Amino acid sequence: GGVLASVARTARVRMLTADGLDVDRDADGVASVMIGGTPLTADLFVDASGPAALLSAAGTRWIDWADTLPADRLLLSSAVGRPSPTDSYEAIGIGWNARWPLAGRTLSGIAYASAATNDARARRQSTGDAERIVIR
């Protein structure tokens, strides 16, 4: 794994594959998790299975964070960037700015709330041609 995996292991985070995963659910959500018949206990389970959402279930209650995280717009742009081993995130006057270094380029994003900032103002904060994504 990469830098994040190394930091996680240092913090005693166990990363497991989902081979033989068995999830029991109750009315509140996940009741127990077993891999290969061995029960797992944790303060937090992170499901990184992508669209498979192995820890989720049909009909799972959705927790809406809109009041806490009001960003409903995202501007994405890409440019040739300096290689970096880490992503960066920065609070800016209109919301959040993020930079994700990729092979040969850097992806940049600005997340903002349309109720507080109009698209033109957000574009002035962006670098290069940015694609606008409406989140909700």
Side-chain angles (χ1 to χ4, degrees), residues 97-110:
N97 188 8
R99 287 182 191 81
W100 304 284
L102 305 171
R105 66 188 176 109
T106 297
L107 183 63
S108 296
I110 294 177

Side-chain angles (χ1 to χ4, degrees), residues 61-111:
R61 182 175 40 117
W62 173 257
I63 300 172
D64 187 353
W65 287 73
D67 292 338
T68 306
L69 305 169
D72 62 353
R73 300 287 187 272
L74 181 63
L75 289 178
L76 290 177
S77 61
S78 179
V80 175
R82 297 182 314 236
S84 170
T86 60
D87 298 342
S88 67
Y89 300 87
E90 175 185 18
I92 58 176
I94 64 168
W96 291 94
N97 188 8
R99 287 182 191 81
W100 304 284
L102 305 171
R105 66 188 176 109
T106 297
L107 183 63
S108 296
I110 294 177

Side-chain angles (χ1 to χ4, degrees), residues 102-128:
L102 305 171
R105 66 188 176 109
T106 297
L107 183 63
S108 296
I110 294 177
Y112 62 100
S114 61
T117 301
N118 64 41
D119 292 337
R121 182 175 179 211
R123 284 196 184 279
R124 286 192 297 273
Q125 297 282 321
S126 180
T127 57

Side-chain angles (χ1 to χ4, degrees), residues 17-32:
T17 62
D19 298 332
L21 179 71
D22 184 28
V23 179
D24 288 325
R25 295 171 179 82
D26 61 18
D28 294 325
V30 174
S32 68

